[in-house]
C-alpha cells in the first residue's frame, strides 16, 4: 500500500501540473498569451468574448455525452458516488477525458474552478492503479482517497490540507485505518508540484493586524453573510441543473454551448467572472475592487457558475466559492 501510494502521489502531482498547463494553453489560444487572464480577456474583442465560451461548450458537450458522462459537473460528487456505490471503481478513461473537458471549459472562459477536476482526475488515477494491482474493494477506496489528496496537494501546494480533505470529504471517516498512504500520496504530489512550479502559496494574503476589538463583530457579520451566499449558490446550482436536465428540451451535447453563450453575454459587462477568477480574488485581497462592483460580482458569479455547470460544463466549485468569499471580504466591501 505504501509503494502504491507513492506511485499515485507522483502520478497525481504530474496530473495537477498537466491540467494547469492544458488550461493555460487553451486560454492562450482563446484570449492571447499573458500572465493575467483577466487582462487578456479585457484586451479581446467583444464578439470573441461572446463566442469563445460557446465554442468551448460546443466541444465539451459531445466529449462528455458520448465518451464519459462522469466528467460532467464539478467532480467531487462523482468521486463520492464511486466510493459509496461502486467500491471505489472509476473507469480509467475518466481521468483523461475529465482533464480535456475541464481544460477546454476553463480555458475558454467557463465560470468554474480547476480544483474539483484535479480531485476527480487524481481519484481516477488512484482507482486505476488499484484496479491494475487487483486491490480489494476496501483498500481500493483508500487509494481513491490517496488520489484525491494528491490532487488537492498539487493544486494548492498544501499536503496537510490534501490529506484532511480526502479523509473528511471523500472517505467521510476520520478514523480511517489507512491514513498513512493518504498522507504519503499527498506529500509526494506536493514534492512533484514544488519541483516543477516552485514553493508558492495559492494566494499571497496581505499582512493583517487587529486594531480594535470592535472588528471582531464584523467577522460575525461576514460569516453570516457567507453562509447566506453559500445557501443561495447551492440553490441556484441545483435549480440550473434541474432546468437544463429536465426542462430544456434540446440535445444534451448542445446544452454546454448554450451555457457558454450565457456566460459570454454576462462577461461583456462583468469579465471578472470568466475562468477560475484568481486575478479578481487577488484584486479583492489587496483592496483593489470598488465595493459595489464586489457586491454585484458575488451574485453574478453565482449565476455564471450555475449556467456553466448546470448546462453540463466541466469544472469545480471551489474557486467560485473562494471568489464569492473574497468579494464579501471587508477590504473589498468596506
Amino acid at each position: 500500500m505504501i509503494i502504491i501510494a507513492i506511485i499515485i502521489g507522483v502520478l497525481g502531482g504530474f496530473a495537477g501540473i498537466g491540467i494547469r498547463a492544458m488550461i493555460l494553453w487553451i486560454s492562450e489560444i482563446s484570449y492571447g498569451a499573458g500572465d493575467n487572464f483577466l487582462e487578456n480577456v479585457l484586451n479581446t474583442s467583444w464578439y470573441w468574448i461572446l463566442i469563445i465560451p460557446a465554442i468551448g461548450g460546443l466541444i465539451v458537450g459531445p466529449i462528455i455525452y458520448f465518451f464519459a458522462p462522469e466528467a460532467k459537473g464539478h467532480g467531487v460528487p462523482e468521486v463520492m458516488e464511486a466510493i459509496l456505490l461502486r467500491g471505489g471503481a472509476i473507469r480509467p478513461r475518466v481521468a483523461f477525458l475529465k482533464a480535456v473537458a475541464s481544460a477546454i471549459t476553463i480555458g475558454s472562459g467557463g465560470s468554474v474552478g480547476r480544483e474539483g477536476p484535479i480531485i476527480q482526475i487524481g481519484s481516477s488515477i488512484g482507482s486505476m492503479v488499484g484496479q491494475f494491482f487487483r486491490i480489494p474493494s476496501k483498500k481500493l477506496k483508500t487509494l481513491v482517497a490517496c488520489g484525491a489528496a494528491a490532487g488537492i496537494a498539487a493544486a494548492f501546494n498544501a499536503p496537510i490540507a490534501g490529506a484532511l480533505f480526502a479523509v473528511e470529504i471523500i472517505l467521510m471517516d476520520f478514523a480511517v485505518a489507512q491514513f498513512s498512504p493518504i498522507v504519503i500520496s499527498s506529500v509526494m504530489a506536493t514534492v512533484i508540484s514544488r519541483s516543477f512550479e516552485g514553493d508558492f502559496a495559492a494566494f499571497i494574503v496581505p499582512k493583517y493586524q487587529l486594531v480594535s476589538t470592535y472588528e471582531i463583530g464584523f467577522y460575525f457579520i461576514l460569516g453570516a453573510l457567507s453562509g447566506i451566499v453559500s445557501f443561495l449558490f447551492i440553490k441556484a446550482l441545483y435549480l440550473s441543473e434541474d432546468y437544463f436536465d429536465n426542462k430544456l428540451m434540446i440535445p444534451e451535447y448542445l446544452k454546454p454551448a448554450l451555457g457558454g453563450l450565457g456566460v459570454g453575454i454576462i462577461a461583456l459587462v462583468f469579465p471578472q467572472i470568466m475562468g477560475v477568477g484568481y486575478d479578481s480574488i487577488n484584486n479583492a485581497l489587496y483592496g483593489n475592487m470598488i465595493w459595489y462592483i464586489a457586491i454585484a460580482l458575488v451574485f453574478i458569479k453565482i449565476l455564471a457558475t450555475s449556467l456553466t455547470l448546470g448546462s453540463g460544463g466541466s469544472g469545480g466549485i471551489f474557486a467560485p466559492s473562494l471568489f464569492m468569499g473574497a468579494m464579501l471580504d471587508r477590504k473589498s466591501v468596506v
Side-chain angles (χ1 to χ4, degrees), residues 32-231:
D35 295 331
N36 192 303
F37 177 77
L38 180 57
E39 289 184 0
N40 296 340
V41 172
L42 291 172
N43 292 327
T44 302
S45 300
W46 68 269
Y47 50 87
W48 284 120
I49 295 175
L50 187 65
I51 295 172
I52 289 174
I55 294 174
L58 196 62
I59 298 171
V60 166
I63 292 174
I64 293 174
Y65 182 78
F66 291 109
F67 300 105
E70 306 97 314
K72 176 182 177 181
H74 46 97
V76 176
E78 287 74 18
V79 174
M80 296 171 70
E81 180 183 359
I83 290 283
L84 294 171
L85 302 181
R86 297 194 296 273
I90 301 173
R91 293 193 297 172
R93 71 173 70 176
V94 172
F96 174 73
L97 293 176
K98 182 69 176 181
V100 172
S102 297
I104 294 172
T105 301
I106 298 169
S108 63
S111 182
V112 286
R114 65 191 183 201
E115 295 75 25
I118 290 177
I119 292 168
Q120 189 174 9
I121 292 164
S123 299
S124 300
I125 290 172
S127 179
M128 181 171 57
V129 172
Q131 292 177 71
F132 177 81
F133 287 105
R134 301 182 183 274
I135 300 298
S137 175
K138 185 176 181 180
K139 291 187 176 181
L140 183 61
K141 295 179 182 180
T142 302
L143 297 183
V144 172
C146 287
I152 282 290
F156 286 104
N157 189 19
I160 297 174
L164 293 178
F165 174 88
V167 171
E168 182 178 9
I169 304 300
I170 302 301
L171 293 180
M172 294 174 285
D173 182 10
F174 269 111
V176 60
Q178 298 292 337
F179 187 62
S180 296
I182 295 174
V183 173
I184 290 170
S185 286
S186 185
V187 171
M188 288 304 302
T190 305
V191 170
I192 296 297
S193 178
R194 290 181 181 180
S195 298
F196 285 86
E197 299 188 344
D199 184 10
F200 301 105
F203 299 103
I204 307 299
V205 181
K207 291 183 179 180
Y208 170 73
Q209 184 176 1
L210 185 68
V211 177
S212 170
T213 54
Y214 290 109
E215 293 181 30
I216 297 175
F218 290 102
Y219 294 121
F220 284 105
I221 297 172
L222 178 61
L225 290 174
S226 298
I228 293 170
V229 168
S230 299
F231 174 79

Side-chain angles (χ1 to χ4, degrees), residues 203-207 281-289 329 331:
F203 299 103
I204 307 299
V205 181
K207 291 183 179 180
I281 291 173
N282 282 319
N283 287 337
L285 287 173
Y286 284 88
N288 300 325
M289 185 76 68
D329 180 81
K331 282 184 176 294

